[in-house]
Structure formats: structure tokens, C-alpha cells
């Protein structure tokens, strides 16, 4: 398992993340999640970013893992990692989680 720091959005909000080299998805907790489990980690707030783009249609996508299920929204924003900027990277805002990690 690898960990790292990424910055997301026009405010370059920093997040400590687990880098899953076996997945093509980038997920991050969202302030849109109102469950207590979502409040344990720092969360991405799309309203804070001028570069945030909502992907339409806005609907929850459910992903099931052995350790639990997450529901999220596909979104786009600028992502910074290791001094490199990725413009309008698609990511998954977690809006609901059950027994994950």
C-alpha cells in the first residue's frame, strides 16, 4: 500500500490519500456525505473550487468492495500531485459509505 498527498481544486486543498495501484478510480470523501463515518476524514467541498465540474447526469454510482460499499458522484477538478497538475481529472466523490476500510 502506498500513501501520498494530493491537492484538489482551485484552492489546492491537500488530502492524505491511499494510492491504490490496482484501481483506475480516484475516490475522496465529500462534504455532500452526511454520515458520521464520512466526517472522520478531511472532505472535498465542491463549492470551494472554481474549477469543479459536475458530470451530468448527476446520479449516485455504487461500488461494492469486500470491505463494504460506497456510493458517489463522478466529478472533475484539477488535481495536483508531486508538482504536476492534472487538468479536469475525473474522480469519485464519496457521498455514502458502509463499513469501508
Amino acid at each position: 500500500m502506498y500513501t501520498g498527498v494530493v491537492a484538489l481544486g482551485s484552492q489546492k486543498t491537500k488530502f492524505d490519500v491511499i494510492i491504490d495501484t490496482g484501481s483506475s478510480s480516484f475516490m475522496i470523501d465529500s462534504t455532500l456525505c452526511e454520515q458520521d463515518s464520512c466526517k472522520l476524514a478531511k472532505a472535498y467541498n465542491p463549492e470551494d473550487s472554481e474549477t469543479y465540474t459536475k458530470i451530468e447526469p448527476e446520479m449516485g454510482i455504487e461500488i461494492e468492495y469486500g470491505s463494504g460499499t460506497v456510493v458517489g458522484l463522478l466529478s472533475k477538478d484539477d488535481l495536483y500531485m508531486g508538482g504536476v497538475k492534472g487538468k479536469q481529472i475525473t474522480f469519485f466523490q464519496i457521498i455514502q459509505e458502509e463499513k469501508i476500510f
Side-chain angles (χ1 to χ4, degrees):
M1 174 170 50
Y2 299 96
T3 60
V5 177
V6 299
L8 191 58
S10 60
Q11 299 293 326
K12 297 183 182 174
T13 305
K14 291 183 180 177
F15 297 93
D16 295 318
V17 296
I18 297 170
I19 301 168
D20 183 355
T21 59
S23 174
S24 62
S25 303
F26 173 67
M27 298 183 191
I28 195 140
D29 286 321
S30 173
T31 56
L32 300 174
C33 182
E34 297 179 356
Q35 293 174 280
D36 289 339
S37 59
C38 292
K39 294 176 175 53
L40 297 175
K42 188 175 187 178
Y44 170 78
N45 187 347
E47 294 179 6
D48 287 346
S49 179
E50 296 174 7
T51 51
Y52 165 72
T53 304
K54 182 184 338 181
I55 294 180
E56 299 287 350
E58 185 178 52
M59 57 186 207
I61 297 171
E62 185 175 313
I63 300 176
E64 191 171 328
Y65 294 95
S67 59
T69 303
V70 294
V71 177
L73 302 173
L74 287 177
S75 306
K76 288 187 178 188
D77 209 336
D78 294 343
L79 178 84
Y80 303 82
M81 184 174 185
V84 177
K85 176 183 179 181
K87 285 185 156 191
Q88 292 299 289
I89 301 299
T90 301
F91 66 100
F92 190 81
Q93 283 189 73
I94 298 172
I95 60 171
Q96 182 181 348
E97 58 188 25
E98 296 178 18
K99 296 183 182 178
I100 194 74
F101 307 115

